[in-house]
């Protein structure tokens, strides 16, 4: 089934397209996004983990970071509803794709094209802002995690800054969430041991939940 893809300008981070989208994905693969990703991933234990899924994989840099933490026997899959993001993710991880250690697929976070219990870790970096059905997507993340698997949601903003909340209203389909919002969403979706952390220096926010 094809994903439901809203219509967005090519520079909208919800669904990058065209040359403007490609330039944005290149920026997203480095800089502040790299700092955010590494900070978030440090909250997870990868001991015993072999398979990871990145929701909203964007330019694919986080697939490489997941593979580095999973080790040589690890496998990382990325999903995005932007055809350009899938293409760039495959280019970014061309060697791992050729080795069968990585894949990027077109899809919808509310209807994940993966079997139950397929992954040990599921991540979402700077993407939950654009999910039209957050609880539904989180329920899908729970479904594809194996017992004891972990979900990490990581955002650059914590939803507490009124100026950022107002800015989000200017971008079609974007919503920002507080720590308590994410805790509530994840708990309602069925995750246990839900916790959040905020970096006071940067305002970065992450939420972690476990599949019982």
């Amino acid at each position: 089934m094809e994903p439901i893809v809203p219509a967005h300008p090519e520079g909208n981070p919800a669904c990058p397209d065209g040359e403007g989208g490609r330039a944005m994905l290149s920026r997203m693969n480095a800089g502040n996004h790299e700092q955010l990703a590494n900070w978030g991933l440090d909250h997870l234990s990868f001991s015993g983990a072999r398979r990871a899924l990145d929701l909203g994989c964007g330019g694919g840099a986080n697939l490489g970071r997941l593979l580095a933490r999973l080790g040589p026997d690890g496998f990382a899959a990325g999903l995005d509803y932007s055809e350009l993001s899938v293409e760039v993710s495959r280019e970014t991880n061309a060697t791992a794709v050729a080795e069968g250690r990585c894949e990027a697929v077109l899809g919808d976070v509310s209807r994940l094209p993966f079997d139950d219990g397929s992954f040990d870790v599921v991540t979402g970096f700077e993407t939950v802002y654009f999910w039209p059905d957050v609880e539904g997507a989180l329920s899908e993340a729970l479904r594809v995690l194996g017992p004891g698997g972990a979900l990490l949601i990581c955002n650059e903003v914590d939803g507490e800054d009124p100026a950022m909340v107002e800015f989000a209203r200017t971008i079609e389909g974007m919503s920002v969430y507080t720590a308590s919002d994410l805790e509530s969403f994840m708990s309602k979706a069925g995750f246990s041991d839900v916790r959040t952390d905020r970096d006071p220096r940067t305002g970065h926010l992450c939420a972690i939940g476990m599949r019982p």
Side-chain angles (χ1 to χ4, degrees), residues 11 50 66 76 89 131 144 148 155 172:
R50 292 293 178 267
L66 286 166
S89 288
W131 295 355
V144 301
N155 292 341
E172 183 183 356

Side-chain angles (χ1 to χ4, degrees), residues 2 22 25 29 57-64 67 76-80 82-107 113-114:
E2 287 296 311
R22 182 173 284 274
L25 291 171
N29 273 346
C57 55
N62 288 326
L63 291 173
L67 286 170
L79 176 136
D80 208 291
S82 159
E83 292 185 8
L84 178 61
S85 291
V86 171
E87 177 184 338
V88 174
S89 288
R90 291 170 179 166
E91 293 170 359
T92 301
N93 300 279
T95 298
V97 170
E99 294 172 345
R101 300 180 56 235
C102 182
E103 69 174 356
V105 300
L106 191 68
F114 304 106

Side-chain angles (χ1 to χ4, degrees), residues 40-200:
L41 289 170
D42 284 345
H43 289 76
L44 294 178
S45 169
F46 284 83
S47 177
R50 292 293 178 267
R51 293 175 58 86
L53 168 65
D54 187 37
L55 300 176
C57 55
N62 288 326
L63 291 173
R65 295 178 185 119
L66 286 166
L67 286 170
R69 295 185 183 234
L70 290 165
D73 297 325
F75 174 85
L79 176 136
D80 208 291
Y81 69 18
S82 159
E83 292 185 8
L84 178 61
S85 291
V86 171
E87 177 184 338
V88 174
S89 288
R90 291 170 179 166
E91 293 170 359
T92 301
N93 300 279
T95 298
V97 170
E99 294 172 345
R101 300 180 56 235
C102 182
E103 69 174 356
V105 300
L106 191 68
D108 183 341
V109 292
S110 297
R111 298 192 301 267
L112 296 179
F114 304 106
D115 293 337
D116 295 0
S118 299
F119 298 98
D120 306 301
V121 173
V122 174
T123 60
F125 296 91
E126 296 277 89
T127 181
V128 69
Y129 311 128
F130 303 107
W131 295 355
D133 177 9
V134 176
E135 286 184 31
L138 292 176
S139 295
E140 276 289 273
L142 184 75
R143 179 184 66 77
V144 301
L145 277 169
L151 168 71
L152 169 70
I153 298 295
C154 201
N155 292 341
E156 195 170 11
V157 296
D158 60 9
E160 300 288 355
D161 181 352
M164 181 53 67
V165 173
E166 188 61 31
F167 171 73
R169 293 194 180 109
T170 69
I171 299 179
E172 183 183 356
M174 182 177 183
S175 299
V176 293
Y177 300 106
T178 65
S180 60
D181 290 333
L182 294 178
E183 288 176 357
S184 176
F185 288 144
M186 291 170 74
S187 295
K188 288 179 180 178
F191 286 91
S192 63
D193 302 320
V194 177
R195 67 189 190 280
T196 59
D197 188 28
R198 179 182 179 276
D199 186 332

